[in-house]
Amino acid sequence: MSEFKGQPLLSIIVPVYNNAKTLPALMQQLRLVTAVEVIFIDDGSTDRSLDVIRHQLKLFEDGRLIVAQHGGAASARNQGIAVAKGMYLAFVDADDEMNGVMLNKIIKTHLIDQQAQIDLVLFVTNGQVHDMSLNATSRFQLMQALLKLPVLTSYEGVGPEPFNKFYRTQLIKGANLMFNESLHMGEDMLFNVAACQKAADVRFVPAIYYQYLPTAQSTTRRLSFDIVANSECFLEALRPIVPVALSAAKVADTVVMDSRRLCRQPGGWLNMPQLIQMARQYQSDARSLPWRKRVLFWVLNKLLW
């Protein structure tokens, strides 16, 4: 760390909420990573998570704990960003898995050895290592990928989640980018699209150190929130930061995905008319969606006209 005058290369931000069972294995992997600070934010856990963190934190070279009231993952991540000291930010969920040895290799190869001021490092499942200075076309395509819209195959593996990405801390803090705490779903996507808008240079790295594990606590599996209201909030925040064509396509995609979620929610189908009304209120365009989603979008419109 001497080359960087004591500044950590990477701040790893870990929101924790009732993850006492998965924390020991994750913390063991995180201890293997050098030249980083690890920030645990306990989001009001009611199990033994705090005891686990406090017991193992003394084994970390540079670790800290923030004890917060329960505000959700977005709030916890924002608190981590506020205090992070590393050159780059990374996010890890406490109920997922990661490979500390692999992350060490990645940090050495792509941060220490090159020492380039890349704004975003995206870890993808295929392709080759390459750097890109974003122009209007490549930025548009990258935002398509982050919004989970159809895009060229060169962007396969790029997703809207905050993990498997490094963000230059100065970019995030300088632009005052934060996770939207009003959303139950979609806050990750908004954060990444906003970061893409601000970024100048991106590095694509075909290496994976992180394994996402869907759990019962995952937002995508929770149905106890107002799905339509959440999407209205999401689209209001999205529209000012993306081109009209992307916004219109995302409205159509949101309607399709929300209709599926509403069908799984008890009595949710009663909100289908409200969902379609939202699509008519916002500009929508389903033509760029895969044909199955396109068909469902048009069927919903016809049935609820």
Side-chain angles (χ1 to χ4, degrees):
M1 286 170 42
S2 59
E3 305 98 318
F4 303 92
K5 300 179 181 179
Q7 180 184 16
L9 285 172
L10 189 65
S11 293
I12 302 177
I13 297 170
V14 188
V16 177
Y17 180 67
N18 291 345
N19 302 118
K21 293 182 179 179
T22 57
L23 269 170
L26 176 66
M27 295 183 77
Q28 182 178 9
Q29 290 298 315
L30 287 169
R31 289 203 308 271
L32 301 176
V33 189
T34 58
V36 303
E37 69 167 348
V38 185
I39 306 169
F40 296 93
I41 303 94
D42 184 84
D43 188 41
S45 295
T46 57
D47 66 353
R48 294 186 58 257
S49 293
L50 263 176
D51 293 335
V52 173
I53 297 171
R54 285 172 172 151
H55 177 70
Q56 294 202 29
L57 197 63
K58 57 189 176 184
L59 302 176
F60 280 74
E61 177 184 349
D62 189 355
R64 63 187 301 181
L65 168 64
I66 297 173
V67 179
Q69 294 183 340
H70 183 53
S75 174
R77 289 176 183 143
N78 287 337
Q79 293 179 67
I81 292 172
V83 301
K85 299 176 182 177
M87 293 177 61
Y88 286 85
L89 301 172
F91 298 95
V92 171
D93 283 353
D95 55 357
D96 289 341
E97 295 178 353
M98 58 159 289
N99 185 323
V101 174
M102 176 62 71
L103 181 54
N104 253 338
K105 292 179 180 178
I106 289 171
I107 290 172
K108 182 179 187 304
T109 302
H110 299 286
L111 295 185
I112 295 178
D113 290 351
Q114 297 193 22
Q115 298 189 30
Q117 289 295 304
I118 300 294
D119 289 324
L120 287 174
V121 182
L122 304 175
F123 299 95
V124 297
T125 54
N126 59 5
Q128 298 179 341
V129 176
H130 70 278
D131 294 348
M132 174 187 293
S133 294
L134 294 181
N135 56 34
T137 299
S138 60
R139 193 185 304 276
F140 184 92
Q141 292 175 342
L142 181 54
M143 285 192 292
Q144 275 184 287
L146 293 171
L147 290 169
K148 298 186 74 171
L149 296 170
V151 71
L152 298 176
T153 55
S154 60
Y155 291 90
E156 287 181 5
V158 175
E161 306 84 5
F163 46 78
N164 275 333
K165 297 174 177 65
F166 293 169
Y167 308 83
R168 191 161 65 89
T169 305
Q170 186 178 343
L171 173 82
I172 300 302
K173 291 191 175 184
N176 196 30
L177 297 185
M178 301 178 68
F179 289 87
N180 190 319
E181 298 179 19
S182 298
L183 293 174
H184 294 274
M185 184 167 53
E187 72 278 12
D188 297 349
M189 192 175 285
L190 279 177
F191 181 84
N192 279 305
V193 171
C196 177
Q197 277 284 39
K198 299 295 183 180
D201 300 297
V202 174
R203 176 171 298 159
F204 294 86
V205 179
I208 301 298
Y209 67 90
Y210 193 98
Q211 178 64 43
Y212 168 69
L213 300 176
T215 68
Q217 291 185 358
S218 297
T219 303
T220 51
R221 296 193 174 204
R222 291 203 308 266
L223 297 173
S224 59
F225 61 92
D226 190 325
I227 292 173
V228 178
N230 186 88
S231 287
E232 287 180 323
C233 180
F234 169 79
L235 292 172
E236 276 297 314
L238 179 70
R239 289 170 71 190
I241 61 174
V242 300
V244 172
L246 279 183
S247 176
K250 192 57 189 176
V251 171
D253 181 71
T254 298
V255 169
V256 172
M257 299 306 296
D258 280 356
S259 67
R260 295 174 177 176
R261 296 183 183 101
L262 286 172
C263 286
R264 297 198 302 268
Q265 188 180 62
W269 62 273
L270 295 171
N271 293 320
M272 288 291 191
Q274 184 184 358
L275 183 66
I276 294 300
Q277 183 60 39
M278 183 186 72
R280 294 172 184 151
Q281 174 185 351
Y282 296 94
Q283 182 177 351
S284 61
D285 187 350
R287 289 176 296 178
S288 67
L289 301 183
W291 71 267
R292 287 185 176 87
K293 287 187 176 181
R294 236 174 21 245
V295 169
L296 180 54
F297 180 81
W298 295 121
V299 167
L300 287 169
N301 270 277
K302 291 295 183 181
L303 287 176
L304 298 172
W305 183 257

